[in-house]
Amino acid sequence: MSTTHIMKHGDKDLFVKEGRLRSFGRTSSRLTQKDQQKLDDKLKPYLLTAQQAKEFKPQSKLVVEIGMGNGACLAQRAKNEPETQFIGCEVYKNGLNALVNTLTEQNSQNFHICHDDARDLLENLPPQCADELVVLYPDPWPKNKQKKRRIVNTELLNLANRLLKDDGVLFIATDIPDYMMWILREVYNHDTFFPIATKPTEWATAPDWWLSTKYEQKAIKQGRSPWYMTFKRGVDKSNTKCA
């Protein structure tokens, strides 16, 4: 049964495909046809579709970020870590426009952009080929009826378990207390990823590679404190490592 058959008129944006809830909001602001063509042209050197990801074989450390916004943090890492490969996934076109300008300016050769649903990307990348999976400030979907759309859930953790190498890192940042508790509950119940922090105060300290974004600075000014949660994947011998 197709997605269109299972959706009601009032839920036309609820599912991205059968059985998968939409976890993101807008995909773009209004772009003219000319602006869209310019963006498509700029994206071409970096583009990696979810389908192309099936053949992707990283030759070095691989970091994957989903929902990267304008990609400022990941772009800085790409500049500072030229031997590492990076894949950033984002559906919001305006954020991608800012990112490709940055990548072109710094001549990044180690960066790929996926414009598909992040879960499609994670499904198609080879098993156990990534060293880190990064999720920065995911949409909190604050209303109770919306919380089922939060990206951090059993489905994502299953995909992360498939994607990451033994002892691979799952890094999640949020400034929403309710979402932090949600994340901890989902991760602990999954029983695959384990925190590296020895005390909660360590979650208030950003990692060495961190770039504080405009979103984070705005959140701090509004009185919201960020949490930086790092989990390591437990060893699972059932997956086949990527070549």
Side-chain angles (χ1 to χ4, degrees):
M1 182 183 296
S2 68
T3 302
T4 54
H5 288 152
I6 65 173
M7 290 189 293
K8 299 177 182 179
H9 292 299
D11 293 333
K12 65 178 182 178
D13 293 326
L14 189 58
F15 290 89
V16 291
K17 65 181 181 181
E18 185 177 359
R20 176 167 289 171
L21 287 165
R22 181 185 174 103
S23 64
F24 49 85
R26 295 181 301 168
T27 59
S28 70
S29 294
R30 195 171 297 173
L31 292 175
T32 65
Q33 186 174 358
K34 184 178 180 179
D35 288 340
Q36 179 63 63
Q37 185 59 54
K38 286 182 179 179
L39 175 56
D40 290 342
D41 291 342
K42 288 192 289 186
L43 275 171
K44 284 179 182 178
Y46 307 102
L47 201 60
L48 177 73
T49 67
Q51 285 299 311
Q52 290 171 338
K54 292 179 179 180
E55 306 300 325
F56 186 81
K57 289 182 171 55
Q59 302 302 312
S60 60
K61 177 180 177 180
L62 175 63
V63 177
V64 179
E65 181 178 342
I66 62 176
M68 65 175 171
N70 66 8
C73 192
L74 202 63
Q76 176 176 268
R77 287 193 70 179
K79 181 179 180 180
N80 294 338
E81 303 173 42
E83 300 304 317
T84 299
Q85 291 181 277
F86 296 88
I87 301 175
C89 193
E90 179 57 59
V91 296
Y92 186 56
K93 295 177 183 177
N94 298 64
L96 295 180
N97 194 44
L99 172 61
V100 290
N101 289 337
T102 299
L103 295 176
T104 301
E105 288 174 5
Q106 63 189 38
N107 194 28
S108 295
Q109 305 295 315
N110 55 339
F111 204 107
H112 299 276
I113 297 171
C114 180
H115 185 46
D116 297 319
D117 187 295
R119 293 161 293 189
D120 291 336
L121 172 70
L122 300 185
E123 282 179 341
N124 287 322
L125 283 167
Q128 286 191 265
C129 68
D131 298 85
E132 295 180 38
L133 177 61
V134 178
V135 189
L136 302 185
Y137 297 110
D139 193 320
W141 295 108
K143 297 179 182 178
N144 285 331
K145 66 179 181 180
Q146 296 175 330
K147 289 181 180 179
K148 60 188 176 183
R149 298 173 68 171
R150 287 176 167 176
I151 188 66
V152 181
N153 56 24
T154 299
E155 179 188 26
L156 179 73
L157 295 173
N158 286 341
L159 292 171
N161 183 42
R162 174 191 177 278
L163 176 76
L164 290 168
K165 299 175 182 177
D166 296 343
D167 292 327
V169 168
L170 171 64
F171 179 86
I172 309 174
T174 184
D175 60 319
I176 307 297
D178 173 67
Y179 205 174
M180 180 191 71
M181 298 306 297
W182 170 287
I183 291 166
L184 293 177
R185 183 169 62 250
E186 291 290 320
V187 171
Y188 288 148
N189 287 342
H190 197 266
D191 199 29
T192 302
F193 299 92
F194 306 95
I196 66 169
T198 57
K199 51 188 177 181
T201 53
E202 292 180 35
W203 286 340
T205 304
D208 293 339
W209 50 261
W210 188 254
L211 172 68
S212 186
T213 62
K214 290 181 179 179
Y215 172 87
E216 182 177 83
Q217 290 302 311
K218 182 179 179 180
I220 292 172
K221 287 180 180 178
Q222 292 176 349
R224 300 196 304 275
S225 300
W227 287 276
Y228 312 97
M229 295 175 283
T230 302
F231 306 92
K232 276 205 171 185
R233 176 187 178 275
V235 175
D236 182 355
K237 299 300 183 183
S238 65
N239 280 336
T240 302
K241 295 182 179 180
C242 82

